[in-house]
């Protein structure tokens, strides 16, 4: 048989499509596996990162189908979002047309790689049916109080002209285009994710063992739970007068109540309401106001690099000492954490120390080391002994925190509080290509939910996309409607939803079958059967954004009565990046590899084999043209040597005892590969070891000529390699085995029973030679054989001792 990849692959791709080979059944009594890869944005072409992701998931799906599981392995497209709109601006294209043309092209690429996705459950999140169900969920969440609208300072991307959630700001820049963000005061819709902060944190424990520790740690840190002391700092009388008696105090939160006596200044965020009031009421000079505006327009990351401050000329009263403490604005104080105000203890905090030194503020030490002296050149941040701390002097600083919080609570001047880094998720986007938020603004009724029978609220097709402003806001007719409540003239909400909303529940939608696809998003019965996802595969870059949001949505849907479980993904595999020349593949770097070109030259099976063989899936993979060529040569050899098979509909029955040494060894290597395969799919995920085992088995088969051993070998090897190189294996299986071997394979223990064993022969502990002996050989005979093999090292010597270590070695001790 000659290996011609394009003919073989086209043949089987057409067969799978015509026969619906990869559709799950509706038999809910059958044991299931839900295998899912994070779905792609339809950019128009697959890259090698996609190929790796989907080759991994496809291997799992195909393996479990062989094991007679009911397998759900769906694919969809995360098709709303700014790239489509930006393409429309750049090329004058219609976002919808651009998106769906790209989807069609990528579907063709998926098919050309032989990925075994369910066709019946394909979706795009920009489909109006998907939007209809999503808008219904949004209305339910609004009624439950989990969605609200509020004005606030938001992250604004000047390039994409839209708001970003905190999680979408990376190093102070837009996560998509790397443009530095600025703060903008505007209305925004928020999901109340903070209401689930404790549960999101606590239920991470359920995921231990199934999720990478790194991802769990990243989520834990992002939620950022911290316990501490919250109390008010009251202005002195002079400061109250300066503020027109509008403010009595402001509250601060600290995780270090043990340092309370060391407070020498306090600091507000430039966005704090007191600062805003002073600006609005001309209580600050124009020069100071300009400095504050510059601070506000600096990204949060840049604000942490160099400390900058402005004195407000205000003082508060220390709650324990009664002394006045100056109030400053500091660029390192952010509104995103706590109340946007901090107490500063420069003697025991590095950041506060640097600020105090820069502006010549007092540094009051209140903790000293148990050994050695305090240094005046840096902050002392270790555990030590309190001093200059009133009644708490002499206490261990760590243990004193309880006593100090208790003192504040007993005197009703503060309380123990828990804070979170996590903030509510802002989901409004001022762009066209997204799911419209299903609300109406009515002068009489306020914000009104659209009626569910009117869903979906679809996007208008006749929009002008210029890149300036929101096209929906500028549309002459679309936004004008009647109030669903009173019937008066009203205006639709023109903000669309953050695309992470769509990816927060798509895995649930895949559970819906064709029978109810049009009528409901999913049924409780379907979710009860298919969920959770048994194996989820995707990049670690989604550890915070998508995975946190998907967990949040699952808990919300549980509380809304849609489902009965807490977590969506039982097991998570985060695959490493594909590199070339030591760097992540990127068009800008000119180091990309086109999957279509690889398929055309070598075939899809070669691309799949290389991508799974080059490195374990969790590690980075370096592209290697020579290794791709090597993968192709192996497949060609594997295919063409199948001519040694004798056609059979059942696995050959072989009398193992009658085989030669080489024949027995070949069978052993084949079954070793089978054992490895079972380990890989169920425990280790190291596909490279499975493939290496198959290569070793092929070499062993090639060293013998027994046609039954060849046939049995291929019966097993084409079965365990089918998840990796499916086209070749289906072709071999169809030609020789009537596809009967693509089923569970049973390990035969007989092939691992050794007839003989090789023993090392050592003289005075130094290995000199080896002997092969039958397993049942007596100790005395083994010693005689060892002496004969080592005769030249024993000549003229006196044997002192003879040691036999069963199945390992013989050691002869000599002297003379």
């Amino acid at each position: 048989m000659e290996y011609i990849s394009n003919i073989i692959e086209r043949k089987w791709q057409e067969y799978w499509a015509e026969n619906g080979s990869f559709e799950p059944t509706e038999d809910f009594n059958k044991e299931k596996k839900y295998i899912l890869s994070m779905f792609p944005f339809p950019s128009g072409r697959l890259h090698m990162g996609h190929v790796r992701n989907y080759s991994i998931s496809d291997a799992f799906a195909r393996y479990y189908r062989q094991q007679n599981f009911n397998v759900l392995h769906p694919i969809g497209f995360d098709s709303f979002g700014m790239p489509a709109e930006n393409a429309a601006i750049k090329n004058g294209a219609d976002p919808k047309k651009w998106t769906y043309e790209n989807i069609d092209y990528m579907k063709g690429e998926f098919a050309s790689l032989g990925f075994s996705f369910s066709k019946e459950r394909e979706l795009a999140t920009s489909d109006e049916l998907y939007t209809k169900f999503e808008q219904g969920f949004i209305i339910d969440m609004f009624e439950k109080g989990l969605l609200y609208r509020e004005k606030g300072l938001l992250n604004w991307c000047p390039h994409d002209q839209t708001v970003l959630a905190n999680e979408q700001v990376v190093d102070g820049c837009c996560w998509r285009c790397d443009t530095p963000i600025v703060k903008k005061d505007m209305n925004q819709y928020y999901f109340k994710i903070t209401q689930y902060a404790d549960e999101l944190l606590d239920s991470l424990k359920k995921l231990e063992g199934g999720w990478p520790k790194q991802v769990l740690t990243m989520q834990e840190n992002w939620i950022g739970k911290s316990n501490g002391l919250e109390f008010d700092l009251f202005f002195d009388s002079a400061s109250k007068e300066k503020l027109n008696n509008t403010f009595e105090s402001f509250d601060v939160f600290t995780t270090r109540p043990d340092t309370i006596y060391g407070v020498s200044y306090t600091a507000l965020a430039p966005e704090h309401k007191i600062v805003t009031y002073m600006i609005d009421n001309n209580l600050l000079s124009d020069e100071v106001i300009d400095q504050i505006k510059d601070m506000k327009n600096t990204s949060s990351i840049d604000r942490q690099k160099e400390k900058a401050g402005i004195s407000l000329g205000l003082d508060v009263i220390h709650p324990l000492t009664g002394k006045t403490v100056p109030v400053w604005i500091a660029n390192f104080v952010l509104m995103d954490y706590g109340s946007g105000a901090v107490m500063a203890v420069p003697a025991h905090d590095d950041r506060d120390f640097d600020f105090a030194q820069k502006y010549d503020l007092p540094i009051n030490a209140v903790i000293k080391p148990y050994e050695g002296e305090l240094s005046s050149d840096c902050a002392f941040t270790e555990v030590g002994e309190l001093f200059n701390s009133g009644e708490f002097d002499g206490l261990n600083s760590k243990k004193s925190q309880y006593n100090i919080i208790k003192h504040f609570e007993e005197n009703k001047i503060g309380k123990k509080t828990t804070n979170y880094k996590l903030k509510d998720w802002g989901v409004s986007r001022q762009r066209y290509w997204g799911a419209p938020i299903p609300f109406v603004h009515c002068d009489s009724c306020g914000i009104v939910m659209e009626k569910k029978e009117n869903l979906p609220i679809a996007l208008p097709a006749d929009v002008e996309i210029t890149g300036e402003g929101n096209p929906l806001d500028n549309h002459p007719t679309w936004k004008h409607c009647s109030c669903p409540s009173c019937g008066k003239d009203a205006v639709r909400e023109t903000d669309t939803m953050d695309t992470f909303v769509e990816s927060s529940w798509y895995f649930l939608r895949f559970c819906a079958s064709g029978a109810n696809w049009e009528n409901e998003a999913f049924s409780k019965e379907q979710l009860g059967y298919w969920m959770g996802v048994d194996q989820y595969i995707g990049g670690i870059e989604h550890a915070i954004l998508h995975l946190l949001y998907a967990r949040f949505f699952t808990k919300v849907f549980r509380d809304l009565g849609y489902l009965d479980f807490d977590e969506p993904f039982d097991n998570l595999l985060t695959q490493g990046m594909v590199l070339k020349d030591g760097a992540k593949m990127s068009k800008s770097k000119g180091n990309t590899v086109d999957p279509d070109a690889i398929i055309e030259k070598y075939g899809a099976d070669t691309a799949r084999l290389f991508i799974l063989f080059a490195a374990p899936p969790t590690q980075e993979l370096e592209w290697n043209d020579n290794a791709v060529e090597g993968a192709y040569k192996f497949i060609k050899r594997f295919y063409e040597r199948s001519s040694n098979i004798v056609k059979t509909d059942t696995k050959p029955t072989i009398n193992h005892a009658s085989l030669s040494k080489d024949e027995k060894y070949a069978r052993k290597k084949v079954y070793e590969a089978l054992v490895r395969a079972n380990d890989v799919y169920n425990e280790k995920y190291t596909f490279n070891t499975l493939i290496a085992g198959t290569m070793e088995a092929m070499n062993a088969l090639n060293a013998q000529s027994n046609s039954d051993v060849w046939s049995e070998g291929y019966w097993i090897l084409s079965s365990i390699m089918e998840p990796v190189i499916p086209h070749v294996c289906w072709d071999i299986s169809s030609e020789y085995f009537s596809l009967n071997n693509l089923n569970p394979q049973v390990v035969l223990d007989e092939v691992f029973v050794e007839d003989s064993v090789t023993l090392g022969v050592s003289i005075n502990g130094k290995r000199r030679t080896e002997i092969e002996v039958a397993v049942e050989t007596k100790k005395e005979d083994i010693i005689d054989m060892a002496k004969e093999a080592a005769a030249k090292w024993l000549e003229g010597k006196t044997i002192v001792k003879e040691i036999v270590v069963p199945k390992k070695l013989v050691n002869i001790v000599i002297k003379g």
Side-chain angles (χ1 to χ4, degrees), residues 618-638:
T618 56
Q619 296 180 11
E620 292 180 338
L621 182 156
E622 178 72 33
W623 187 264
N624 184 318
D625 291 329
N626 292 331
V628 175
E629 182 75 28
Y632 170 76
K633 288 179 178 177
F634 169 75
I635 293 173
K636 187 173 187 294
R637 186 165 61 249
F638 183 76

Side-chain angles (χ1 to χ4, degrees), residues 224-226 253 255 334-341 419-421 423:
K225 183 177 182 178
S226 56
F253 170 82
T255 58
L334 305 175
M335 290 301 296
D336 293 341
Y337 184 74
S339 63
N419 255 351
Y420 300 88
K421 179 185 171 187
K423 296 300 175 186

Side-chain angles (χ1 to χ4, degrees), residues 56 59-60 63-64 535 573 612 616-617 672-693 720 723-724:
I56 293 168
F60 280 117
Y63 171 79
Y64 285 115
Q535 187 66 62
L573 189 157
L612 293 176
E672 281 181 354
L674 173 59
V675 171
R676 277 195 205 181
N678 291 333
D679 287 345
V680 164
Y681 289 110
N682 293 294
E683 295 178 19
K684 300 175 181 176
Y685 311 154
T686 50
F687 296 100
N688 55 314
T689 63
L690 180 162
I691 297 165
I720 65 174
V724 179

Side-chain angles (χ1 to χ4, degrees), residues 136 291 481 495 500 585 654 719:
Q291 291 176 14
C481 64
D495 283 0
F500 279 96
M585 286 189 182
I654 297 174
S719 173

Side-chain angles (χ1 to χ4, degrees), residues 8-23 58 62 111 113-116 119 605 608 722 725-731 739 742:
I8 294 169
E9 290 174 0
R10 192 179 306 116
K11 167 187 171 182
W12 287 106
Q13 288 161 12
E14 290 173 356
Y15 174 90
W16 296 328
E18 289 168 4
N19 289 275
S21 300
F22 308 127
E23 300 303 330
D58 199 53
R62 288 176 175 275
L113 282 155
F115 294 144
S116 62
K119 301 293 184 189
D605 282 343
R608 295 170 61 122
E722 185 269 344
I725 49 173
H727 306 88
V728 160
C729 291
W730 275 68
D731 209 56
L739 297 178
L742 301 183

Side-chain angles (χ1 to χ4, degrees), residues 408-465:
F408 269 78
E409 290 184 327
E410 288 176 346
N411 289 276
K412 295 182 170 51
I413 54 175
K415 61 181 179 179
K416 181 179 181 180
T417 305
T418 299
N419 255 351
Y420 300 88
K421 179 185 171 187
L422 180 70
K423 296 300 175 186
D424 281 343
W425 172 15
V427 293
S428 305
R429 299 295 178 264
Q430 293 67 45
R431 299 300 293 256
Y432 164 72
W433 190 239
I437 297 174
F439 297 134
V440 169
H441 299 274
C442 174
D443 289 340
S444 299
C445 305
I447 296 179
V448 182
M449 297 175 290
E450 186 55 84
K451 293 179 179 178
K452 285 190 177 181
E453 56 263 33
N454 294 336
L455 303 180
I457 306 304
L459 293 168
D462 57 333
V463 291
E464 183 182 1
I465 301 175

